Amino acid sequence: MNKTGNSRQFEIIRTLAAVGIAMAAAVIIIFIVSKEPVNALYNFIVGPFTSLRRFGNILEMACPLIFTSLAVCVMFQANQFNMIAEGGFFFGALCAAIAAVKLPEITGVSVTAALLAGGIGGASLGAVPGILKAKWNTNEFVVSLMLNYVALYLGLYLMNTFIRDTNAGSKVSLKFQEGFRLPNIVPGTRIHLGIVIAALVVILIYLFLYCNKWGYSLRITGQNSKFAEYSGINTFMVILFSQILGGAIAGLGGAVEMMGIYNRFQWSALPNYGFDGITVAIIAKQSPKLVPAAALFLAYLRTGADIMSRSSDVPSEVISVIQALVIVLIAANSFLSGWKHRMLVKQSMNELAAEGGK
Amino acid sequence: MIFDIISSTSFWYAVLRVSTPILFAALAAIVSNKAGVVNIAIEGTMLISSLTGVLFSAWTQSVFIGVSAAVAAGVLTALILAYFSLNLKTDITLTGIALNLFASGGTIFLLYLVTGDKGMSGSLKSLVVPSWDIPVIKNIPVIGEIISGHNLLTYLAFVSVIVVSVLLYRFPIGLRIRAVGEDEGAVASVGLNVTRIQYIALMLSGVLSGLGGAFMSMGYVSWFSKDMIAGRGFIALAAEAMGRGTPVGTMTAAMVFGFADALSNYLQALQISAELVMMIPYITTIIGLFIYSTKKKNNK
């Protein structure tokens, strides 16, 4: 039996075990805190499948998660711990909102322009830690976290100054023009064309990372930047470009979300899709082709938790326990490694025995 | 206008007050970094400690138990970080990210279970650490107004600068912690347990983060609100880097960020867009890190 097939099988088992343990922990917590644990669990696990609208919620929520986790995949694969997916998503959504209020309406062109605005907005945010890291080796982790707050407050400022609806009671923008909306594609739900765009971006990023010289340079730099440098890869450009690309994907995701679900900008805080994107990227092992499945899984958990918090006494934040455990267990090199070791030993013993018998 | 603010004694009093949590967190960052463990979970640790302090002081009506519980929660969080990163060999950055996510959601979860509210702990009668008028000094004009009458935890933060210095540079454990950070292999080769030393460093880091968290909900304000740390744990990482890991340098950097934070608080009262003003501490941190890294590059 070949070695790679075996270790892939092991990785799958390990990921499933991590998810299983995390889910079990959540179930235990629900039983401890709830007065009606069975009802809560039923709503959490089965709830998302009880109506078309709820099932639609899963796909609606997976869409932004796919974008943010792809952004994280690209940056983490280049070994850049950049957290800009959060702020980039928010800022991209805001840039798209400004476009959708201010730009003239031209059929077909309008919505593309808004999405482009979102992508550029996100990319310009990603460029800041990118340049600082590439040129001066500034810690991109702290810079990007700080930049998330800057994106939030700058975004709210721009919203207040340029597109606020002064007649509305709360701080929201003017309504978007009709031509800027991404059309709904499944009647009875809010699933919109954005999910198709998300699928396209998944394919593009996969091709970029695995079938392209640039993507190869990016991955090599991420695995060993010294080696990459000595083999003539322009690591400066990789470090910069990976973070700009990450910001752009997150920004595009924000724009898609805004144009697909909302009819005016109404966020007053960061929506947390960027940090959820990290969870998704870790479950997907930072591989774009696994991102959709991982995003659907987290979206399913979130949808279930929302239903649970509405129909029982357990708040939806119980998911944060699952998320944290999944991340640390999947990323834990020693988790189940003893078992893997025994499996390898047993297998080689069998092979030896088989050879000896010949 | 800005001159009026900066020339007032109450502004400088505020600088010391808002520097407190950043200083505690930055000291926490020093201790763990010296042992070669980058503790990015300080942010989440502070958040968990803030809530713990509020809950225990409300239940027991004792400030001491409240602060002690906050510190214990800080140590416990640090132990979780240590277990995953040192024993299970999880990437420390990912463990930190996971703990921060957990802290953010977990505190809201717990707050809701206890109070039925997801935003603030207003309904709990939690206590505040008392403040102290320093005898004699309080009567000195200007200086007395600035450095007297602070929360006890603020004084403890500045005392901790000395404690951490002495611990790191005058005690055997400090030498061991620094040695592990310099060269793990060398420490292991003389028969010392590297993992144990890193555990101790992370636990100390947890104590300091816990105190920082306690100050936020039992001094800075008298309640817990969701995500109330607002990046201070990360600003502290920047302060540690800019202070080049020395306690006094880090204290200076923490106070620069405290200055930016206080300025932002003061300017919000004026007729300037609150959103723009709230960006000040974060932009200052980015600029600070940038200046630090350009200098570091030139020195090479």
Side-chain angles (χ1 to χ4, degrees), chain A residues 198-261:
Chain A
L200 280 176
V201 177
V202 169
I203 296 170
L204 283 176
I205 295 297
Y206 175 78
L207 291 177
F208 166 74
L209 279 177
Y210 293 96
C211 308
N212 178 292
K213 198 184 104 188
W214 268 87
Y216 181 73
S217 315
L218 188 149
R219 286 185 295 124
I220 292 296
T221 308
Q223 280 157 19
N224 187 340
S225 66
K226 280 275 177 292
F227 173 76
E229 217 165 278
Y230 292 139
S231 20
I233 291 172
N234 186 345
T235 52
F236 176 92
M237 282 309 285
V238 168
I239 291 170
L240 176 59
F241 182 70
S242 62
Q243 300 182 54
I244 292 179
L245 182 61
I249 302 168
L252 175 64
V256 164
E257 180 75 357
M258 217 12 85
M259 300 302 103
I261 300 279

Side-chain angles (χ1 to χ4, degrees), chain A residues 135 138 149 157 160 317 332 334, chain B residues 88 90 118 231 275 293 297:
Chain A
K135 201 150 169 39
T138 314
Y149 290 99
Y157 171 77
N160 263 333
E317 278 76 13
S334 304
Chain B
L88 286 184
T90 309
K118 280 191 177 185
E275 284 99 1
S293 32
K297 186 145 189 163

